[in-house]
């Protein structure tokens, strides 16, 4: 059984993962408008992956006999006018998510909830290392490229190679690469 405090923390994180999906869908749409389809595809894949993160919380809460509570998802607020700003927004957001996951680990420790720590949050601690690393690498490449149209074109090609997550992975997370 899950404590009320833990349940509330996990429901808030479920919401934060859905907000991340919203943010990345918004950024993806911005890239589409710029005809940067590779960047757009990468962000869309990331948005879908965020929904699979939300589903991990959803599944865990229910498995632990808790109640899933769906809060309102706020409107994404990022103002984007360059690819660099888009990836900086993603990187900044991932740092916030890392802090939220760390806070949840602290809460789970206080609640002595080993199931949450080892059955759920442990995976997210590693995942956040990947998320920060991936977004920061693109930020750094974009800084290197600066205003080179050719550089942007090549990076668009490179990022466009990222496949969309399988729908099974989104609905039933843990069964694929995310
Ligand atoms: Fe996430
Ligand atoms: Ca990931």
């Amino acid at each position: 059984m899950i404590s009320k405090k833990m349940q509330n923390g996990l429901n808030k994180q479920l919401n934060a993962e859905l907000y991340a999906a919203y943010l990345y869908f918004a950024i993806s749409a911005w890239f589409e408008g710029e005809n940067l389809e590779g960047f757009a595809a990468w962000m869309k894949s990331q948005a879908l992956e965020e929904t699979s993160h939300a589903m991990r919380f959803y599944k865990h809460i229910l498995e632990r006999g808790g109640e899933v509570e769906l809060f309102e998802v706020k409107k994404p607020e990022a103002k984007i006018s360059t690819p660099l700003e888009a990836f900086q927004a993603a990187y900044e957001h991932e740092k916030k998510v890392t802090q939220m996951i760390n806070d949840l680990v602290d809460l789970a420790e206080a609640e002595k909830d080993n199931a949450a720590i080892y059955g759920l949050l442990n995976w997210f601690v590693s995942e956040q290392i990947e998320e920060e690393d991936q977004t920061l690498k693109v930020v750094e490449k974009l800084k290197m490229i600066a205003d080179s149209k050719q550089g942007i074109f090549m990076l668009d090609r490179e990022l466009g190679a990222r496949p969309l997550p399988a729908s099974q992975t989104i609905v039933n997370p843990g069964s694929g690469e995310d």
Side-chain angles (χ1 to χ4, degrees), residues 17 20 50 53 94 97 124 128 131:
E17 300 292 342
E50 294 302 340
H53 292 173
E94 288 306 328
V97 173
F124 276 99
Q128 283 313 117
E131 302 289 57

Side-chain angles (χ1 to χ4, degrees), residues 15-27:
N15 179 271
E17 300 292 342
L18 289 176
Y19 172 76
Y22 252 41
L23 177 64
Y24 298 146
F25 276 129
I27 296 175

Side-chain angles (χ1 to χ4, degrees), residues 113-167:
D113 190 338
N114 286 322
I117 298 169
Y118 301 106
L120 177 73
L121 299 172
N122 190 45
W123 183 89
F124 276 99
V125 171
S126 313
E127 175 65 8
Q128 283 313 117
I129 298 173
E130 181 197 84
E131 302 289 57
E132 285 191 31
D133 177 54
Q134 277 186 154
T135 46
L136 182 58
K137 276 186 177 141
V138 181
V139 165
E140 283 173 353
K141 280 182 186 172
L142 284 166
K143 281 184 182 166
M144 203 159 62
I145 290 167
D147 292 329
S148 160
K149 290 233 161 48
Q150 194 186 358
I152 296 285
F153 181 78
M154 284 174 70
L155 190 55
D156 186 60
R157 282 257 182 113
E158 183 189 317
L159 296 182
R162 177 178 177 170
L164 290 177
S167 58

Side-chain angles (χ1 to χ4, degrees), residues 45-108:
S45 176
Q46 189 59 30
L48 290 170
E49 191 183 295
E50 294 302 340
T51 65
S52 79
H53 292 173
M55 288 305 290
R56 281 179 186 259
F57 288 97
Y58 175 98
K59 186 165 173 261
H60 180 90
I61 294 163
L62 294 176
E63 279 175 350
R64 298 280 291 138
E67 273 176 45
V68 165
E69 194 177 348
L70 296 173
F71 303 116
E72 190 174 354
V73 182
K74 72 176 174 157
K75 184 179 170 163
E77 63 226 358
K79 294 224 181 347
I80 306 297
S81 53
T82 63
L84 178 59
E85 278 176 18
F87 271 84
Q88 269 167 336
Y91 176 55
E92 289 307 317
H93 187 69
E94 288 306 328
K95 284 197 287 185
K96 267 188 217 156
V97 173
T98 299
Q99 189 54 54
M100 294 175 85
I101 298 293
N102 288 340
D103 291 346
L104 277 175
V105 173
D106 290 345
L107 175 63

